[in-house]
């Protein structure tokens, strides 16, 4: 009995991403088509061959494929067992129409750093409970994609910016427990979102989203010690629900909220 296709698609609550697609196709071949979005493609199993603007390309697990909006392409498996893939569809203005030609010329990117960041973002979006982390990861991904398209991939600058880092920490503290978007913080601190993430991480040894989670766990501890039930504490401390609180609480302290306050 042949395997059947498996597809999961959704629109995350993340500005700039119009769709996320996780799929396994044992035999499906895409006919020529276009998207009105940038297609950021990972192949997790198998090998994919596709034509982009009448030129043939191949994609393996080691690579990232970046297909520009409104350019015809197809897709098919090289191997008889099919292929498994994960895709981010980005709004057309996230990378810029002026970079379409560069993507047509070189859609495959061999970049382990970029692939790892995209995998991490897929993991965050699959759970859907960490908006600041998702924004931060997307910002760094888009910056690196632009560097590839401009043929200017460079290591991030090593200079510290304690002033920007300190301002962002103050902004995060001031917006507890609800949090703030990276774009909103960027406007308040007057710094590019990617620079915010890097400056904060360099100064405090953790990214902004992890700092925010730690502050929320601190709030949760105080509410728990007041005798409030965990389900109520989750909302008061800025978590989505009790399971979201429990996951981060256990990761931070090694015990669940209920065991933390057990007499």
């Amino acid at each position: 009995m042949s395997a059947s296709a498996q597809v999961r698609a959704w629109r995350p609550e993340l500005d700039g991403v119009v769709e996320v697609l996780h799929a396994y196709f044992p035999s499906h071949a895409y006919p020529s088509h276009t998207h009105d979005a940038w297609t950021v493609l990972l192949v997790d199993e198998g090998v994919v061959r596709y034509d982009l603007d009448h030129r043939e390309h191949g994609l393996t697990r080691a690579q990232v494929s970046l297909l520009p909006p409104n350019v015809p392409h197809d897709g098919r498996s090289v191997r008889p067992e099919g292929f498994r893939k994960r895709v981010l569809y980005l709004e057309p203005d996230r990378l810029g129409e002026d970079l379409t030609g560069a993507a047509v010329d070189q859609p495959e990117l061999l970049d382990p750093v970029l692939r790892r960041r995209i995998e991490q973002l897929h993991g965050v979006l699959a759970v859907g409970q960490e908006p600041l982390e998702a924004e931060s990861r997307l910002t760094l991904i888009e910056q690196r994609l632009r560097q590839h398209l401009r043929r200017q991939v460079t290591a991030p600058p090593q200079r510290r910016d304690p002033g920007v880092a300190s301002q962002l920490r103050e902004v995060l503290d001031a917006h507890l427990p609800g949090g703030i978007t990276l774009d909103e913080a960027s406007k308040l601190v007057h710094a590019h979102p990617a620079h915010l993430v890097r400056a904060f991480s360099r100064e405090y040894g953790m990214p902004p989203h992890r700092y925010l989670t730690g502050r929320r766990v601190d709030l949760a501890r105080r509410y728990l010690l007041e005798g409030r039930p965990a389900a109520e504490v989750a909302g008061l401390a800025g978590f989505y629900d009790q399971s979201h609180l429990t996951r981060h609480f256990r990761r931070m302290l090694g015990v669940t909220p209920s065991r933390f306050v057990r007499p």
Side-chain angles (χ1 to χ4, degrees):
M1 183 175 179
S2 60
S4 58
Q6 302 167 8
V7 176
R8 179 191 176 197
W10 72 99
R11 179 158 194 169
E13 294 184 9
L14 175 60
D15 287 345
V17 180
V18 297
E19 183 184 327
V20 182
L21 174 70
H22 293 181
Y24 165 63
F25 292 119
S27 59
H28 177 66
Y30 284 98
S32 184
H33 64 286
T34 64
H35 297 289
D36 61 357
W38 288 92
T39 302
V40 184
L41 169 64
L42 302 181
V43 170
D44 294 312
E45 295 177 12
V47 179
V48 171
R49 196 175 303 280
Y50 62 95
D51 292 334
L52 176 68
D53 196 34
H54 309 293
R55 282 179 278 181
E56 189 176 65
H57 298 271
L59 183 66
T60 66
R61 192 182 187 284
Q63 300 166 302
V64 174
S65 181
L66 178 64
L67 308 180
N70 305 313
V71 178
H73 61 278
D74 59 13
R76 55 208 176 273
S77 178
V78 173
R79 298 174 180 169
E81 64 269 24
F83 62 94
R84 191 177 300 275
K85 69 174 184 175
R86 287 176 289 174
V87 189
L88 298 173
Y89 295 97
L90 308 182
E91 291 177 354
D93 61 353
R94 299 297 290 199
L95 299 179
E97 292 183 7
D98 59 315
L99 297 175
T100 294
V104 170
D105 291 340
Q106 187 179 331
E108 298 93 18
L109 309 173
L110 185 59
D111 183 344
V113 172
L114 176 62
R115 183 180 172 94
R116 183 174 67 253
R117 287 177 179 169
I118 295 170
E119 287 180 334
Q120 290 169 334
L121 179 56
H122 273 287
V124 175
L125 295 178
V127 177
Q129 295 180 334
E130 310 295 341
L132 183 59
E133 180 178 1
E135 280 187 284
S136 299
R137 295 197 183 284
L138 179 61
T139 293
L140 297 181
I141 288 167
E142 290 177 338
Q143 184 182 66
R144 198 162 181 94
L145 287 173
R146 286 189 215 98
Q147 288 179 347
H148 274 287
L149 292 171
R150 294 177 177 136
R151 313 294 188 254
Q152 297 175 344
V153 178
T154 58
Q158 294 302 311
R159 65 182 179 87
R160 293 175 54 189
D161 196 337
V164 161
S166 176
Q167 288 180 64
L168 179 55
R169 186 173 67 173
E170 291 175 3
V171 167
L172 293 174
D173 289 344
H175 287 82
L176 281 170
I180 186 172
T181 70
L182 191 62
D183 283 341
E184 290 169 342
S186 174
K187 293 180 176 67
L188 291 173
V189 180
H190 305 292
H192 189 277
H195 181 59
L196 278 186
V197 175
R198 288 201 169 97
F200 192 96
S201 301
R202 202 165 283 132
E203 193 67 22
Y204 298 114
M206 70 183 80
H209 69 264
R210 194 172 300 161
Y211 174 81
L212 178 63
T213 297
R215 290 300 317 278
R216 285 172 168 161
V217 170
D218 281 345
L219 282 176
R221 293 170 68 167
R222 293 170 192 165
Y223 288 128
L224 289 167
L225 291 173
E226 291 176 2
R228 296 175 184 264
E232 179 186 359
V233 168
L236 291 173
F239 293 96
Y240 274 78
D241 53 29
Q242 187 173 343
S243 64
H244 188 212
L245 163 65
T246 299
R247 178 160 57 89
H248 283 296
F249 203 93
R250 182 189 288 120
R251 181 180 299 170
M252 190 77 67
L253 297 173
V255 296
T256 64
S258 61
R259 290 186 64 86
F260 179 74
V261 295
R262 182 178 294 178

